[in-house]
Amino acid sequence: MREFFEYKDGQLYCESVPVKEIVRRFGTPLYIYSKASFLYRFKALKDAFDREGLKPLICYSIKANSNLSVLNTLKKAGAGFDVVSGGEIYRAMQVGGSANKCVYAGVGKRREDIKMALEWGILMFNVESEAELELIDAVAARMKKKARVALRINPDVDARTHDYITTAKKENKFGIDLYTAEQIFARQKQYKNVKIIGIHIHIGSQIVDTRPYAQALKKVERFIKLVSKKYDAGLKYINIGGGLGITYNDEKVDSPEVFAKRVSPYVKRLGLKLIMEPGRFIAGNSGIFVCRVIYVKKTPAKNFVIVDGAMNDLIRPSLYKAYHRIWPVAPVSQEEFVCDVVGPVCESGDFFAKDRRLPIVGPGELLAVFSAGAYGFVMASNYNSRPLPAEVLVDGDKVHLVRRRQGYRDMLRLERVI
Ligand code: LLP
């Protein structure tokens, strides 16, 4: 895969702009995204499936990176959206996304979220329980609408990824087991304001070996054949969810081609329209997080590089012990040392890297944290009353501020002193 963050003449560039220049204008901590990278990765996935003779609807998973300019970029490239909340529906609407290219998953859809989605006219809900199906039916009845839905199946397969982002084992909260799903088809006529048009799976995230997709599809294929025959289920769509991984460190990730080849036999045999919901694959390596070294603190046990970004800005290392490559934006020293890269938040869990070998850095130097385009800014918080960082989108030699840095006033705006 092509990279859009590269070192040239000893310093890091995003597309054709030196990262140092961007930081000079917008400060740190800062998220920097490459527009070309989002588009390239979206197209790589689309092309791989097109080459297999499938024309998938790619619903970019908004949760990975929901910046409006990112959404607008992908919408213009033809993407639909995978949403998981009223807030994400609202974002999709703000950029003029087509409702009929939007799918809506999540185990806890509330009445008002369902109403909003129906008003907007989304393509379908990915339903995660029978109770949810009942509520969608009731809301649709009141609105005199017919709701299109897919049943999200929990196929009980192990995607062999981090426990927190494995979603298709039977002990996970997601989806409907095959037995219950069959019961729903048997009873489908009682849901008068719902039409079941698809089957959905999402087996996990950061999946580097795509074989579990085939395992899941095997079960789903058998199920679809069964319900089509037994209950005359007129299905039109098979949605394989998101989950394709990226290289953070040295993981060998199945390419879009391998992925497409892996799933296409099932989809072709079923003769259904393919939907997918990639998030990380498109966004992850399309962004970096840049912070500045404040101090280097040497203790008898460790070297701590203390930076101005923290777990509130990028929580993945703290939450999942996730590995993110870190390197100086413009390395000065030839010598290296082993250090922990940590933030100013008052928790020992506030780190970006532990026992990492880096060129020796000093106060004022910039560090780039790579692969921060997905589940980076979107998971940021104001913990320790730290304002949210700014986000910048680079397009060739142009740099656009796509979210300004939060100020102290912004941060307190919704509060009241009594
Ligand atoms: N579809 C559904 C129903 C999902 O739940 C997700 C992600 C996706 C699609 C997109 O998955 P992706 O292609 O990005 O793997 N915060 C975690 C990842 C959580 C993923 C949640 N669901 C992380 O930072 O690793």
Side-chain angles (χ1 to χ4, degrees):
M1 303 290 306
R2 255 185 82 192
E3 292 299 328
F4 294 83
F5 295 91
E6 279 181 323
Y7 285 88
K8 282 179 255 179
D9 307 323
Q11 64 163 321
L12 184 62
Y13 279 69
C14 174
E15 301 192 22
S16 48
V17 190
V19 166
K20 252 179 156 172
E21 287 298 316
I22 305 173
V23 169
R24 209 183 335 263
R25 283 178 62 190
F26 301 106
T28 52
L30 181 68
Y31 278 96
I32 301 177
Y33 308 132
S34 154
K35 183 174 173 182
S37 178
F38 280 97
L39 291 172
Y40 165 78
R41 299 181 72 91
F42 174 77
K43 195 165 177 307
L45 203 54
K46 184 173 177 314
D47 289 351
F49 279 83
D50 285 355
R51 275 197 292 276
E52 287 297 307
L54 299 168
K55 294 242 173 298
L57 170 60
I58 302 186
C59 295
Y60 167 68
S61 192
I62 291 186
K63 63 178 79 66
N65 184 325
S66 60
N67 184 282
L68 292 177
S69 292
V70 167
L71 302 187
N72 197 36
T73 299
L74 291 166
K75 179 209 77 177
K76 285 196 199 145
F81 295 121
D82 158 48
V83 300
V84 75
S85 66
E88 288 191 352
I89 294 175
Y90 187 70
R91 282 183 179 274
M93 288 163 74
Q94 290 303 303
V95 297
S98 316
N100 66 2
K101 286 186 177 176
C102 279
V103 294
Y104 181 8
V107 295
K109 303 179 187 80
R110 300 167 306 173
R111 181 183 293 275
E112 56 267 40
D113 304 324
I114 294 169
K115 196 160 164 251
M116 185 175 176
L118 282 172
E119 264 161 12
W120 194 38
I122 61 161
L123 178 57
M124 72 186 86
F125 294 88
N126 291 326
V127 172
E128 311 235 12
S129 63
E130 191 159 14
E132 181 194 329
L133 191 67
E134 277 166 25
L135 183 58
I136 293 175
D137 189 49
V139 176
R142 279 191 77 156
M143 295 171 74
K144 300 197 172 36
K145 289 194 186 237
K146 191 120 182 162
R148 290 174 298 270
V149 308
L151 297 189
R152 175 171 180 176
I153 300 292
N154 182 326
D156 192 23
V157 298
D158 186 354
R160 287 182 239 133
T161 178
H162 190 288
D163 265 0
Y164 285 10
I165 51 178
T166 290
T167 48
K169 292 208 290 197
K170 62 177 185 294
E171 60 270 31
N172 299 134
K173 69 178 173 180
F174 301 100
I176 303 172
D177 65 278
L178 288 169
Y179 175 77
T180 309
E182 187 182 339
Q183 301 297 304
I184 293 175
F185 274 104
R187 293 195 280 269
Q188 61 182 323
K189 294 227 162 47
Q190 86 187 46
Y191 300 109
K192 296 208 164 35
N193 291 80
V194 159
K195 176 139 187 57
I196 307 174
I197 60 168
I199 295 294
H200 172 242
I201 50 172
H202 170 73
I203 61 174
S205 197
Q206 181 55 9
I207 298 169
V208 297
D209 170 352
T210 54
R211 276 175 293 190
Y213 284 94
Q215 272 174 29
L217 279 166
K218 202 167 163 188
K219 292 190 179 183
V220 162
E221 184 182 5
R222 216 179 302 135
F223 177 75
I224 291 179
K225 284 189 173 147
L226 172 88
V227 295
S228 300
K229 236 197 344 243
K230 217 163 149 189
Y231 307 104
D232 195 24
L235 298 174
K236 292 201 184 75
Y237 297 92
I238 174 77
N239 182 338
I240 59 170
L244 185 59
I246 59 167
T247 301
Y248 283 94
N249 184 11
D250 52 8
E251 307 89 328
K252 291 265 172 294
V253 186
D254 279 355
S255 65
E257 285 72 24
V258 170
F259 180 41
K261 282 205 163 60
R262 184 93 71 204
V263 305
S264 77
Y266 298 92
V267 180
K268 282 183 187 159
R269 276 201 298 275
L270 287 167
L272 301 176
K273 167 94 177 169
L274 175 63
I275 301 180
M276 50 190 179
E277 307 169 342
R280 186 191 320 263
F281 177 80
I282 292 174
N285 278 333
S286 299
I288 61 170
F289 176 68
V290 184
C291 46
R292 196 182 287 279
V293 177
I294 311 175
Y295 304 110
V296 175
K297 173 171 170 176
K298 298 189 173 182
T299 73
K302 291 231 177 195
N303 297 318
F304 291 103
V305 173
I306 303 170
V307 296
D308 63 0
M311 66 187 286
N312 73 294
D313 303 303
L314 174 66
I315 202 173
R316 300 194 72 258
S318 307
L319 193 57
Y320 315 114
K321 298 205 171 71
Y323 181 97
H324 283 260
R325 192 157 61 86
I326 299 177
W327 207 248
V329 165
V332 185
S333 174
Q334 302 292 323
E335 265 179 86
E336 296 188 342
F337 69 163
V338 173
C339 61
D340 283 11
V341 180
V342 302
V345 162
C346 54
E347 299 221 17
S348 296
D350 177 27
F351 62 88
F352 290 140
K354 290 207 159 171
D355 301 319
R356 191 68 67 83
R357 184 167 286 282
L358 281 185
I360 294 176
V361 289
E365 277 185 68
L366 297 171
L367 290 183
V369 182
F370 290 84
S371 311
Y375 307 109
F377 182 87
V378 287
M379 294 177 81
S381 75
N382 284 130
Y383 187 38
N384 277 204
S385 285
R386 291 170 48 84
L388 295 173
E391 294 174 285
V392 156
L393 182 67
V394 174
D395 178 10
D397 58 2
K398 289 194 278 302
V399 181
H400 304 280
L401 181 65
V402 291
R403 185 185 161 112
R404 74 168 169 81
R405 185 174 302 285
Q406 200 178 35
Y408 292 144
R409 265 166 182 275
D410 296 324
M411 211 165 46
L412 303 195
R413 198 151 50 200
L414 303 176
E415 288 179 45
R416 206 159 60 96
V417 181
I418 56 155

